[in-house]
Amino acid sequence: MSTSINERINRLRSRRSGLDRSTVIAMDAKDFIVNRSLTQEAWEHRAKDKPNTTFALGAMQEVDPTYTRISIETAERVSNQLTKRVTGNMEFELQGSVPLNVHIRGVSDVDLLALEANFHTYDSSGSMSRSGQYNSPTSRTSLGVLIARREEMSRVLRDAFPAASIDTSGSKAIKLQGGSLARPVDVVPSHWHDTISYQASRQKHDRAVTILDSHKNITIENWPFLHIKKVRERCDTTGGGLRKSIRLCKNLKAELEAEGQTVAISSFDIASIIYHANLHSLSAGSYYELAILAETQRHLDYLWNNKEEARRLIVPDGSRFIFNTEEKFNGLLHLSVAMDSLLQEVAKEQSYLLSLSEKPLLDASRAAVTNAVIF
């Protein structure tokens, strides 16, 4: 591999414990992380004397639930301050990796949707619209509402968290970190959009969210809850293997970036790519955990070598193709090559015969790890 595996294990441990981001959180939260990091996690004791295997297993595991709970509680603290201080009514929802449980950092940014409660848009072709269930049209526009709300929330958050860093330079989120906050929080001004599907089902996952791109002065529709629902349901059919594969990819991407390589593919796209992996093979990870590594490597390699098929893959919420830019194939290549190397190194630790080869064949490497029993 391109770097010492022990360095990768140390960085993995640091990411999971939160030590890598201890400078962006409150002092009491930092003390908690430092004390917690002194205790090793279960994965660190597995596959002794086989460090590549240890890394692969650790990279699949969920973050300590205590860390996740603190992330959610910090987002709730921010939403409570906004509720008290802004004009009008707001609703709040979490989106992204934390509610889906595919985040890889103990100190993970939390995406908080700040939804305008008294304004939403709807598809006029939907059943609720046709039956006259919406109020009369208003002169207010999505763009105007969200620009005004973003400006107000920026002021309010500075007053509510005076010691925190408030960054409004991004196009979509107001970023808070430091001060008294135990986790960084990204607040996204938004409102609901009632799609045709939502008007028929009345289910939250069918409801779209409209957000502001303040740099381009436009609004964008997203389906964060449909994405969460689709990935969660498919993961359940694999006994958790899908989430483990996503975390493995995200951790390996983090390693490549720590080593100075750019991997031009987002966490959302990684989750979408793995969503299309072989479910039966991922399910084998319930008994043979390294089978998840084997399937992840196979799937990435297959997509790189079959780009036309890759171009036809759609994100779980159905809103677009995954590979909607050619740049993403560069990201796929870097991630796929790194996964090849990890698989080969793990296979050499699991098979004496393969350990005699500097770079064993990928088919043989997959066979060696797929049925390996790790205690």
Side-chain angles (χ1 to χ4, degrees):
M1 300 178 72
S2 58
T3 190
S4 165
I5 187 58
N6 290 326
E7 291 176 13
R8 286 190 167 181
I9 289 174
N10 286 336
R11 284 194 294 263
L12 175 62
R13 184 184 295 117
S14 181
R15 274 196 303 278
R16 292 178 58 81
S17 70
L19 286 175
D20 67 321
R21 307 185 76 187
S22 60
T23 60
V24 301
I25 58 177
M27 185 57 68
D28 56 346
K30 180 178 179 179
D31 291 341
F32 171 84
I33 285 170
V34 171
N35 292 331
R36 191 91 169 193
S37 68
L38 299 177
T39 302
Q40 288 191 328
E41 294 186 274
W43 63 269
E44 298 181 67
H45 302 285
R46 301 178 68 189
K48 291 184 177 179
D49 302 321
K50 296 177 179 178
N52 293 281
T53 302
T54 299
F55 172 82
L57 293 171
M60 298 179 195
Q61 308 310 313
E62 69 175 334
V63 168
D64 186 328
T66 301
Y67 285 82
T68 302
R69 175 180 58 78
I70 294 172
S71 295
I72 294 170
E73 289 174 350
T74 306
E76 290 173 349
R77 184 180 167 211
V78 172
S79 68
N80 288 338
Q81 287 298 314
L82 286 170
T83 299
K84 293 175 184 177
R85 294 168 181 262
V86 300
T87 58
N89 297 320
M90 302 290 296
E91 298 175 19
F92 299 94
E93 298 281 354
L94 295 183
Q95 67 172 358
S97 296
V98 171
L100 189 51
N101 194 18
V102 293
H103 53 301
I104 61 171
R105 298 181 185 277
V107 176
S108 181
D109 291 8
V110 192
D111 285 348
L112 178 67
L113 288 169
L115 294 143
E116 187 77 20
N118 298 324
F119 179 90
H120 64 271
T121 53
Y122 58 90
D123 194 310
S124 60
S125 300
S127 58
M128 292 173 63
S129 174
R130 295 198 311 272
S131 60
Q133 296 184 46
Y134 290 105
N135 295 329
S136 301
T138 174
S139 60
R140 301 168 74 197
T141 65
S142 291
L143 191 61
V145 166
L146 295 180
I147 288 174
R149 187 60 90 180
R150 178 185 171 94
E151 291 175 351
E152 181 188 20
M153 286 195 295
S154 297
R155 294 194 306 270
V156 163
L157 290 169
R158 287 190 173 93
D159 291 338
F161 301 99
S165 169
I166 313 293
D167 181 4
T168 59
S169 63
S171 63
K172 300 178 181 69
I174 304 167
K175 295 181 175 290
L176 296 79
Q177 66 179 38
S180 63
L181 294 171
R183 297 290 185 272
V185 179
D186 291 349
V187 179
V188 183
S190 51
H191 68 73
W192 295 111
H193 175 74
D194 294 355
T195 63
I196 292 175
S197 296
Y198 171 75
Q199 292 180 51
S201 72
R202 308 292 180 91
Q203 298 296 309
K204 185 173 77 173
H205 60 259
D206 286 326
R207 210 174 190 188
V209 170
T210 301
I211 67 173
L212 172 69
D213 184 329
S214 62
H215 291 175
K216 297 179 180 179
N217 221 34
I218 60 172
T219 59
I220 303 167
E221 285 182 12
N222 289 332
W223 288 260
F225 309 110
L226 185 57
H227 174 79
I228 290 172
K229 177 180 183 289
K230 291 283 191 179
V231 176
R232 181 179 289 153
E233 287 179 345
R234 186 161 291 196
C235 182
D236 289 346
T237 69
T238 66
L242 184 70
R243 282 191 182 92
K244 287 185 175 183
S245 178
I246 293 170
R247 295 187 201 111
L248 174 62
C249 289
K250 290 176 66 172
N251 270 303
L252 196 51
K253 177 190 173 184
E255 287 303 316
L256 293 175
E257 290 174 339
E259 293 158 16
Q261 194 166 119
T262 299
V263 184
I265 196 164
S266 70
S267 295
F268 178 85
D269 286 328
I270 286 175
S272 299
I273 288 168
I274 301 303
Y275 181 82
H276 293 282
N278 185 286
L279 301 184
H280 177 75
S281 297
L282 291 178
S283 298
S286 298
Y287 304 97
Y288 305 104
E289 206 163 358
L290 291 178
I292 295 170
L293 167 62
E295 170 55 19
T296 305
Q297 180 279 324
R298 183 209 64 79
H299 183 56
L300 297 178
D301 187 59
Y302 177 82
L303 294 181
W304 170 252
N305 287 295
N306 296 272
K307 293 187 184 63
E308 289 309 310
E309 288 194 38
R311 287 189 176 95
R312 289 194 287 269
L313 295 182
I314 297 175
V315 298
D317 65 27
S319 61
R320 63 169 172 82
F321 293 104
I322 299 174
F323 292 96
N324 56 349
T325 67
E326 288 302 305
E327 183 184 26
K328 291 181 181 180
F329 280 109
N330 292 330
L332 173 64
L333 175 61
H334 292 312
L335 188 59
S336 179
V337 169
M339 199 68 70
D340 291 349
S341 298
L342 177 60
L343 172 72
Q344 289 165 326
E345 294 301 318
V346 171
K348 286 158 67 174
E349 292 176 347
Q350 299 301 319
S351 166
Y352 171 74
L353 183 61
L354 294 185
S355 71
L356 302 177
S357 171
E358 181 178 351
K359 196 172 183 180
L361 295 175
L362 292 173
D363 286 345
S365 297
R366 284 194 297 271
V369 307
T370 295
N371 296 316
V373 178
I374 309 296
F375 296 102

